[in-house]
Amino acid sequence: MVKERIQHVIKLSPSQVKDFVRAAEKCDFDIDISYGHVVVDAKSILGILGLDLTRKLTVSFFGQNEDFESYLAGVAV
């Protein structure tokens, strides 16, 4: 298990949310997605769709999953 928090800054369009959540659900650790003081569970489609998707989003987690990190690299800002 990773002992320090990993963060990635990403940008998602509404059409990418479903794929993002599918990638996050494959991880066996908690993942948060946020901007400013708003934080939601990254495995929640409704939570993510409630965010302002025109903003840069920060994905934070304590864990390691190469497939998920590869996905994040594809939507990185």
Side-chain angles (χ1 to χ4, degrees), residues 1 4 8 38 42 64 77:
M1 182 164 168
E4 62 184 63
H8 292 271
V38 179
Q64 195 169 19
V77 175

Side-chain angles (χ1 to χ4, degrees), residues 10 18 27 35 38 41 56 74:
I10 65 168
K18 184 177 175 183
C27 300
Y35 66 87
V38 179
D41 180 357
K56 293 179 185 176

Side-chain angles (χ1 to χ4, degrees), residues 6 12-13 15 30-31 33-34 36 47-48 55 58 70-73:
I6 298 171
L12 289 176
S13 68
S15 63
D30 292 335
I31 305 168
I33 188 166
S34 64
I48 296 173
R55 293 176 164 243
T58 302
S70 293
Y71 178 84
L72 292 176

Side-chain angles (χ1 to χ4, degrees), residues 18-35:
K18 184 177 175 183
D19 292 333
F20 174 84
V21 171
R22 281 190 180 153
E25 286 176 336
K26 294 178 183 173
C27 300
D28 61 351
F29 46 85
D30 292 335
I31 305 168
D32 293 326
I33 188 166
S34 64
Y35 66 87

Side-chain angles (χ1 to χ4, degrees), residues 39-65:
V39 180
V40 299
D41 180 357
K43 297 178 184 181
S44 168
I45 289 176
L46 290 177
I48 296 173
L49 288 174
L51 295 174
D52 181 357
L53 296 178
T54 63
R55 293 176 164 243
K56 293 179 185 176
L57 305 171
T58 302
V59 179
S60 304
F61 52 93
F62 293 90
Q64 195 169 19
N65 182 299

